[in-house]
């Protein structure tokens, strides 16, 4: 009898006591945050916004293929520079054999690089859409809400501005509306499985976002990693130039220059390695901490002359020698490349670093031995001067163009004289300055496409080009289908509404 | 090859057991030291176990089972350690580098380059000063032998498990058994990259450590009832269980080695990064089971359980599963006078099992797929940041795996012939699947219960003593499995799901390849031809007409189509065992017939995208101007992406035959053993993985069930010699 009582007591204790509480099965992760709590307050929403800025310079997670050579948006900017003729390297390695320099990635629907380009910008857009949709209901000041919204709109416009140029044929202001297909247009966080829309529709969305962002006038941002109103205006000028809308390009480039918040760098600053967001002409850039550095997977690991990675040690980046020869001897930019490097005139951290003629020292890591640290320039005010000069020149305002160009050149070359060229010659001079000034920052390929120019890497145009580095892809005629990226295969696999593939 | 060695394996075990009137115990200890055939791949383990059971009272029994182990593993990097394409993966590196490059450094004149300090020749890592530089395809700056020697990848694991129970009998036919089990596991993973060659050079040495602790417990309470009334035997069980799994991890890294020879954190200059997280996974279950048999001839059983998982949302986390079974011993019924039948039974059962295993993109368990999350850690400089990472699916629920079995077991002629024939149909309902979303969507995939599929087939086991005499027997056991798989339901909005080399769709099997259709070689220039996708506008430059048929040479214009299944027609094995007096020999062979295999390792060796990489010797037969009828397209450095694109070209018949195990043993004669007070002793020689025959040299179709391969540590051929003795 005793044992029955004992067992009954034990049984009831255990069975009764162990019927678990409801919370027992409700577990929470510790490495992530619920999407419902992230938009409760503007402070939290700001966390979501900063995630996008980090994503822009972080080594990609969208593909595992050669991820080290894919530092977010920065890797795309570098990749498309390898699709031009001014930046190149001596061997078929990253950025050339991975499909950029030889134009294979763009034309291969399952290329890792292609997927990475497409996904990187759409992931930024998806994140921005959540912020734009939810910020109004967050708790916080009206000023904070409008600042966060303005930044998210600017980021969304920025992302679409690249997608439309990769996946659609060029915008032609003389053939409006530009009905050729571009990419899907997702403007709400709930948008899913959207069809491709026209180039015109994407540009309409970009300009609408930027105009809205400019109207919100986010002048007070935490630091230059944030895309405040000046970045929105700079981007508006950049997009207008691409749309051959020269009056708008002039208006906004001029506003930024006249605002004078980002004065051009001194000659001394120009030679500090383009790695510091505090340099005066950085309008917008990344600013990783040491912990956020990535020895092999950062932008600087790919291009800083003294980054100690196998890739960089063995493959210094070179400039088109013909372009180099057009730089005046007294121009500080002449010092960014070395036509005949030696141990004396081009010291390098280790004996295993290779030297090549016309190699670059434009980009440097912050300190040798750090995890390839540097602040990627997303936008510099030098570009605004170049936009202004080009837009004036292309709308036949040569005198204003000469002045706008001189504003930049006079800072770079202290003994420069103002150009007296006009017409095409002036445009050519502006473009030479643009190619030299923005080398390595992701402009040349887009300029070729925007202006409907051919790619020419033959010896006549680029005497030091190493043809084998790009599998002998040396010439592509203007308007060739190779200037158009194929939509990634994975998009077709997941999106029944996407529409036709590019030819 | 300097990476390979003859690994040695030492395995020693000692067991004791004993019994007193009211208690029994079992103690075991073991030591294993297993060296892989690659340098720096070792496994060392000490383990111990103790079981004690005690009948405290006539109605009360209790027991405790404790085991612990300590392992140290020097891990070779392969695709299982997450480094499929890494330079430190010996299998990937050695397969990829052109075999013309030397291990040690030579200058252009062929003279060895010596290290003046050690007097040894330097390793050639591809850009050693003075040595001949290697091109990109031959991984300059890297050297898998040198790096493997200098680096360290260690896993130290400690584990303790304890299980205790109390068994209380009451009211004659009832027992109540609460059981409590705990598992504690600690893994310390340590990575060290040397400052001389490879990834550690840049920061003058790098050390990373990950420490994770798993604490889990299971507590269940089971009430049993067993009763026999005459010819009827009844049993029943009800129970409750909770399972709690807690995982906690942190990691840190430092850079800048101070002194050679010490790889602990204290010997590094600069803190690099640190991180950590914790996860909880819980299940609560209520279960019951009942069984009945009549005269040990007719058996019936049934069970019902409800499981709640923390991986699903509160509204859909509970799943209900049941099983039913019956069997009939025919020979005990009306065949009792047929004396050549030893045993003949029919059985049939249907059972459901819940599955809540959801994997994230890194193939780790996903515990929170019901909710949408932002990942922490996307800090922008000093500002905190988070990035949208997953979409919510509050409807996500248990996958149910339902198995129906029906079969017959028999044993005839005093067990000269015996076997089992079983038909099975395993249906998966509410299949858990990570459904790919458009690349343009905010998240790339959403976990969903997408539909249903089944595996059905027949398994046959047949055994026979072919020869049975007093001194000699020959026993043969064979196994055949015929398997069929079909997807039966997918959601209307995603009727086709493409994942890797497969596409899932209703009416076809889950392992159906979906690939671009390769069509051969254009004899005029050796281009690879593909069947064109009729829905695409194909540029003239990408079109080809060969013998009046239109093809494309651009893989992006090629047609995707169903290309056959990875599932074999037949999986089988046979074991021959011979014994003669004290000597016995057994040989296990397994094989598969049919099925297709996508050989990406071969594709890699046939691809010509980068100078300096290794190439397959089949390329010697590739198309050239003088060999225009070749079935292998031209070796073209500039266009390898199109010529060697992922397509049906790389599919191969997955049939194989493997000699898995041969064992020869000799039992020492009893009259010797008695003298040394040993009750049993056996000497043996065993060979494992002795040979594999497949359609291509080096191809192991048994590497994966889905018919794909990667750079894994290949199966080792193991020869062992041993002695088993009991006292």
């Amino acid at each position: 009898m005793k044992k029955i009582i004992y067992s009954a007591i034990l049984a009831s204790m255990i069975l009764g006591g162990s019927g678990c509480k409801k919370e027992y099965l409700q577990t929470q992760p510790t490495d992530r945050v619920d999407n419902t709590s992230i938009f409760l307050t503007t402070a939290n929403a700001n966390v979501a916004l900063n995630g996008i800025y980090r994503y822009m310079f972080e080594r990609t997670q969208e593909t595992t293929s050669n991820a080290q050579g894919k530092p977010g948006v920065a890797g795309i900017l570098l990749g498309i520079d390898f699709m031009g003729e001014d930046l190149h390297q001596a061997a078929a390695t990253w950025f050339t054999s991975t499909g950029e320099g030889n134009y294979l990635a763009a034309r291969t629907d399952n290329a890792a690089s292609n997927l990475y380009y497409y996904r990187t910008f759409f992931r930024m857009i998806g994140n921005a859409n959540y912020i734009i949709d939810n910020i109004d209901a967050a708790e916080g000041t009206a000023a904070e809400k409008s600042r966060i919204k303005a930044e998210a709109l600017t980021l969304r416009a920025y992302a679409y501005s690249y997608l439309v140029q990769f996946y659609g044929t060029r915008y032609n202001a003389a053939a409006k509306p530009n009905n050729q297909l571009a990419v899907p247009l997702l403007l709400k966080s709930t948008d899913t499985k959207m069809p491709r829309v026209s180039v015109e529709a994407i540009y309409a969305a970009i300009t609408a976002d930027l105009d809205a962002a400019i109207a919100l006038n986010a002048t007070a941002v935490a630091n230059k990693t944030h895309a405040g109103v000046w970045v929105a205006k700079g981007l508006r000028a950049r997009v207008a130039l691409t749309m051959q809308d020269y009056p708008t390009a002039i208006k906004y480039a001029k506003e930024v220059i006249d605002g004078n918040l980002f004065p051009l760098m001194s000659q001394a600053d120009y030679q500090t390695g383009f790695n510091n967001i505090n340099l005066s002409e950085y309008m917008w850039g990344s600013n990783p901490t040491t912990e956020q550095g990535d020895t092999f997977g950062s932008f600087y690991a790919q291009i800083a002359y003294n980054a100690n990675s196998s890739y960089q040690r063995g493959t210094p980046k070179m400039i088109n020698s013909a372009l180099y020869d057009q730089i005046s001897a007294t121009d500080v930019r002449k010092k960014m490349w070395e036509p005949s490097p030696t141990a004396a005139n081009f010291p390098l951290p280790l004996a295993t670093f290779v030297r090549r003629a016309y190699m670059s020292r434009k980009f440097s890591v912050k300190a040798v031995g750090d995890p390839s640290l540097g602040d990627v320039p997303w936008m510099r005010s030098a570009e605004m001067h170049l936009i202004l000069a080009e837009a004036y020149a292309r709308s036949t305002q040569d005198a204003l163009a000469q002045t706008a160009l001189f504003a930049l050149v006079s800072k770079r070359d202290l003994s420069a004289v103002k150009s007296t060229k006009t017409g095409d010659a002036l445009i050519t001079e502006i473009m030479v300055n643009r190619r030299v000034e923005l080398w390595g920052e992701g402009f040349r390929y887009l300029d070729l496409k925007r202006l409907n120019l051919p790619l020419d890497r033959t010896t006549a145009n680029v005497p030091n080009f190493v043809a084998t580095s790009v599998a002998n892809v040396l010439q592509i005629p203007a308007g060739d289908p190779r200037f158009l990226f194929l939509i990634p295969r994975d998009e077709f696999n997941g999106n029944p509404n996407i529409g036709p593939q590019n030819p | 090859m300097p990476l390979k060695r003859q690994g040695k394996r030492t395995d020693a075990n000692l067991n004791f057991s004993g019994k007193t009137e009211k208690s029994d115990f079992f103690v075991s200890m073991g030591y294993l030291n297993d060296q892989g055939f690659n340098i720096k791949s070792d496994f060392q383990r000490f383990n111990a176990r103790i079981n004690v059971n005690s009948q405290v009272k006539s109605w009360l029994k209790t027991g405790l089972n404790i085991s612990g182990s300590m392992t140290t593993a020097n891990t070779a990097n392969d695709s299982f350690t997450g480094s499929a394409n890494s330079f430190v993966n010996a299998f990937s590196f050695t397969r990829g580098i052109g075999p013309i490059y030397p291990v040690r450094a030579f200058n252009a004149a062929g003279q060895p380059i010596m290290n003046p300090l050690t007097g040894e020749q330097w390793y050639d890592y591809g850009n050693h000063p003075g040595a001949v530089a290697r091109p990109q395809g031959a991984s300059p700056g890297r050297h898998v032998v040198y790096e493997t020697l200098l680096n360290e990848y260690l896993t130290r694991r400690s584990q303790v498990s304890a299980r205790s129970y109390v068994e209380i009998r009451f009211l004659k036919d009832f027992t109540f058994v609460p059981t409590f089990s705990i598992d504690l596991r600690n893994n310390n993973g340590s990575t060290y990259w040397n400052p001389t060659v490879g990834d550690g050079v840049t920061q003058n040495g790098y050390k990373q450590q990950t420490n994770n602790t798993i604490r889990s417990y299971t507590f269940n309470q089971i009430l049993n009832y067993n009763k026999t009334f005459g010819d009827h035997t009844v049993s029943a069980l009800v129970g409750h269980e909770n399972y709690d799994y807690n995982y906690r991890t942190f990691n840190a890294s430092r850079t800048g080695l101070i002194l050679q020879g010490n790889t602990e954190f204290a010997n590094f200059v600069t803190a690099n990064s640190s991180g950590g997280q914790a996860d909880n996974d819980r299940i609560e279950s209520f279960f019951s089971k009942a069984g009945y048999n009549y005269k040990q001839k007719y058996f019936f059983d049934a069970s019902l359980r409800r499981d709640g998982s923390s991986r699903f949302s509160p509204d859909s986390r509970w799943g209900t599963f049941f099983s039913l079974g019956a069997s009939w011993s025919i020979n005990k019924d009306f065949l009792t006078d047929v004396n050549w039948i030893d045993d003949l039974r029919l059985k049939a059962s249907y059972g459901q099992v819940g599955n809540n295993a959801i994997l994230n993109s890194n193939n780790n368990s996903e515990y929170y797929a019901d909710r949408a999350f932002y990942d922490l850690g996307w800090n922008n400089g000093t500002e905190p940041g988070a990035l949208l990472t997953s979409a919510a699916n509050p409807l996500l629920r248990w996958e149910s795996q339902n198995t129906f079995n029906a079969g017959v077991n028999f044993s005839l002629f005093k067990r000269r012939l015996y076997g089992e024939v079983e038909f099975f149909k395993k249906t998966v309902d509410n299949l858990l699947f990570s459904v790919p979303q458009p690349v343009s969507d905010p998240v790339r995939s959403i976990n969903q219960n997408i539909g249903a599929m089944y595996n059905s087939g027949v398994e046959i086991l047949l055994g026979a003593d072919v020869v049975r005499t007093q001194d000699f027997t020959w026993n043969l056991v064979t196994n055949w499995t015929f398997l069929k798989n079909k997807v039966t339901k997918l959601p209307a909005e995603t009727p086709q799901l493409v994942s890797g080399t497969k596409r899932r769709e209703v009416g076809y099997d889950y392992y159906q390849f979906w690939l671009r259709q390769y069509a051969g070689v254009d004899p005029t220039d050796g281009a690879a031809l593909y069947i064109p996708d009729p829905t695409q506008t194909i540029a003239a430059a990408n079109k080809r007409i060969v013998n009046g048929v239109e093809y494309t040479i651009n893989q992006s214009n090629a047609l995707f189509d169903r290309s056959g299944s990875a599932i074999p027609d037949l999986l089988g094995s046979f074991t021959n065992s011979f014994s003669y007096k004290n000597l016995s020999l057994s040989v296990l062979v397994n094989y598969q017939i049919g099925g297709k295999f996508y050989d990406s390792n071969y594709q890699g060796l046939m691809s010509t995208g980068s100078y300096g990489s290794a190439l397959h010797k089949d390329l010697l037969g590739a198309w050239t101007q003088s060999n225009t009828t070749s079935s292998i397209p031209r070796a073209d450095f500039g266009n390898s992406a199109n010529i060697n694109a992922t397509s049906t070209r790389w599919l191969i018949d997955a049939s194989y035959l493997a000699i898995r195990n041969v064992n020869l043993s000799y039992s020492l004669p009893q009259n010797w053993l008695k003298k040394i007070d040993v009750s049993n002793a056996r000497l043996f020689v065993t060979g494992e993985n002795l040979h594999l025959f497949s359609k291509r040299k080096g191809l192991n179709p048994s590497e994966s069930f889905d018919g794909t391969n990667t750079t894994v540590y290949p199966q080792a051929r193991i020869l062992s010699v041993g002695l088993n003795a009991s006292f």
Side-chain angles (χ1 to χ4, degrees), chain A residues 14 24-27 30 32-33 50 54 93 108-109 119 127 192 223 225-226 292 295-296 308 491, chain B residues 136 199 202-203 221 243 278 282 317 371-372 374 376 379-381 383 388 439-442 516 555-556:
Chain A
I14 292 166
Y24 178 74
L25 292 176
Q26 194 59 44
T27 56
T30 55
R32 38 196 144 151
V33 52
N50 274 305
R54 171 66 178 277
T93 168
T108 306
D109 66 359
R119 177 61 189 160
N127 274 269
T192 175
N223 54 55
T225 67
H226 287 258
Q292 293 159 10
T295 305
F296 308 111
N308 196 352
E491 177 74 23
Chain B
Q136 185 62 20
D199 290 327
T202 314
Q203 293 174 278
Q221 310 90 37
Y243 165 77
R282 299 197 179 113
R317 66 168 50 124
R371 284 158 282 166
Y374 276 71
L376 298 177
N379 307 322
N380 172 35
E383 295 175 85
L388 181 71
V439 189
S440 53
D441 269 21
R516 294 192 147 119
Q555 63 147 334
S556 298

Side-chain angles (χ1 to χ4, degrees), chain B residues 28 46-51 64-70 158-163 182-184:
Chain B
S28 81
F46 293 95
N47 63 290
R49 165 182 295 276
I50 177 163
N51 294 353
L64 178 66
N65 174 337
I66 298 180
S67 65
S69 68
M70 231 164 65
S158 327
Q159 183 175 358
V160 179
S161 315
R163 182 179 156 268
I182 57 169
D183 279 289
L184 297 176

Side-chain angles (χ1 to χ4, degrees), chain B residues 88-158:
Chain B
V88 292
N89 175 335
F91 312 103
S92 172
F93 188 95
T94 54
R95 193 173 284 142
I97 188 169
I100 56 170
Y101 299 104
V103 172
R104 303 270 183 171
F106 293 89
N107 65 20
Q111 298 300 312
I113 303 174
M114 309 302 286
N115 179 343
L117 293 177
T118 62
E120 281 183 23
Q121 190 180 354
W122 285 104
Y123 281 100
D124 181 10
Y125 46 83
N127 48 11
H128 188 81
V132 181
R134 293 202 299 258
Q136 185 62 20
S139 315
R142 308 307 300 250
H143 196 295
V144 76
V145 179
Y146 200 18
E147 289 180 50
T148 304
L149 284 170
L150 297 177
N151 292 349
E152 185 180 279
Y153 300 91
L154 275 178
T155 307
R156 298 179 183 87
R157 181 171 297 167
S158 327

Side-chain angles (χ1 to χ4, degrees), chain A residues 262-277:
Chain A
F262 311 99
L264 292 169
M265 294 188 279
S266 69
Q267 298 254 320
D269 281 352
Y270 204 88
Q271 297 172 66
T272 56
F274 284 82
N275 58 24
N276 196 327
I277 198 167

Side-chain angles (χ1 to χ4, degrees), chain B residues 522-598:
Chain B
D522 184 345
T524 57
D525 70 345
L529 300 174
Y530 301 92
I531 296 173
D533 180 350
T535 64
Q536 287 191 33
T537 329
I538 300 174
N542 293 331
K543 285 185 194 168
R544 278 297 157 83
I545 291 174
V546 179
N547 297 330
V549 183
E550 191 175 302
Y551 297 101
T552 178
I553 56 165
N554 183 345
Q555 63 147 334
S556 298
N557 297 137
L559 178 70
F560 274 90
D561 206 350
R562 287 183 285 271
S563 313
S565 173
I567 298 179
D569 302 324
L570 171 65
L571 268 162
S573 73
F574 49 91
T575 309
N576 277 293
S577 309
F578 307 92
S579 68
Y580 177 70
K581 292 189 174 166
N582 289 348
L583 206 57
S584 60
L585 172 71
S586 76
V587 181
L588 166 64
V589 171
N590 64 13
Y591 61 91
Q592 102 177 19
I593 297 172
K596 286 188 173 172
F597 197 89
Y598 189 86

Side-chain angles (χ1 to χ4, degrees), chain B residues 91-357:
Chain B
F91 312 103
S92 172
F93 188 95
T94 54
R95 193 173 284 142
I97 188 169
I100 56 170
Y101 299 104
V103 172
R104 303 270 183 171
F106 293 89
N107 65 20
Q111 298 300 312
I113 303 174
M114 309 302 286
N115 179 343
L117 293 177
T118 62
E120 281 183 23
Q121 190 180 354
W122 285 104
Y123 281 100
D124 181 10
Y125 46 83
N127 48 11
H128 188 81
V132 181
R134 293 202 299 258
Q136 185 62 20
S139 315
R142 308 307 300 250
H143 196 295
V144 76
V145 179
Y146 200 18
E147 289 180 50
T148 304
L149 284 170
L150 297 177
N151 292 349
E152 185 180 279
Y153 300 91
L154 275 178
T155 307
R156 298 179 183 87
R157 181 171 297 167
S158 327
Q159 183 175 358
V160 179
S161 315
R163 182 179 156 268
S164 65
Y165 70 91
V166 180
E167 189 181 298
I168 303 156
R169 292 180 174 283
F170 64 102
L171 291 176
K172 234 167 119 188
D173 304 313
F174 290 91
T175 49
F176 176 64
V177 189
T179 305
F180 192 73
S181 314
I182 57 169
D183 279 289
L184 297 176
R185 217 155 73 211
N186 181 270
N187 292 312
N188 181 283
S190 149
T191 299
Y192 162 68
W193 292 340
N194 75 85
T196 309
V197 59
D199 290 327
V201 173
T202 314
Q203 293 174 278
N204 193 34
Y206 170 90
K207 163 82 176 189
Q208 197 257 4
Q209 262 194 83
T210 303
N211 198 72
N212 59 58
T213 307
I214 294 167
R215 290 149 55 107
S216 73
Y217 72 81
T218 308
F219 182 31
N220 63 34
Q221 310 90 37
I222 297 172
L223 183 65
N224 282 301
Y225 171 77
N226 282 293
K227 180 88 179 167
T228 305
F229 327 76
D231 293 333
H232 310 270
T233 304
V234 178
S235 66
L237 167 162
V238 289
H240 169 258
E241 176 174 287
N242 42 312
Y243 165 77
D244 185 315
Y245 169 92
N246 172 257
Y247 172 84
R248 195 168 286 277
T249 182
F250 69 87
N251 60 72
S253 60
R254 292 182 74 85
T255 59
L257 184 74
I258 301 171
L259 297 167
Q260 291 284 346
N262 172 357
T263 61
E264 292 303 325
F265 275 149
N267 193 34
F268 288 80
V269 180
T270 314
N272 193 40
S273 70
S274 57
Q277 69 176 90
D279 283 305
N280 285 299
D281 184 31
R282 299 197 179 113
I283 297 177
E284 183 175 16
S285 311
F286 297 92
F287 49 92
S288 63
K289 199 171 149 183
Y292 167 79
N293 79 70
Y294 177 71
K295 284 186 175 176
Q296 301 288 316
K297 280 190 229 166
Y298 310 102
F299 298 82
F300 301 94
D301 59 72
S303 74
L304 181 68
R305 63 182 297 146
R306 255 174 91 63
D307 297 290
S309 167
S310 63
R311 298 185 188 190
F312 307 118
S313 77
D315 297 331
S316 57
R317 66 168 50 124
W318 287 93
T320 306
F321 309 99
F322 72 96
S323 73
L324 287 171
S327 67
W328 176 28
S329 287
I330 305 176
N331 61 320
K332 288 189 185 164
D333 217 346
F334 57 85
L335 293 169
T336 41
D337 51 345
V338 185
N339 57 18
W340 54 273
I341 299 179
D342 315 325
D343 187 17
L344 182 61
R345 264 175 295 165
L346 287 178
K347 59 180 185 185
S349 68
Y350 176 80
Q352 297 179 324
V353 178
N355 174 32
N356 66 349

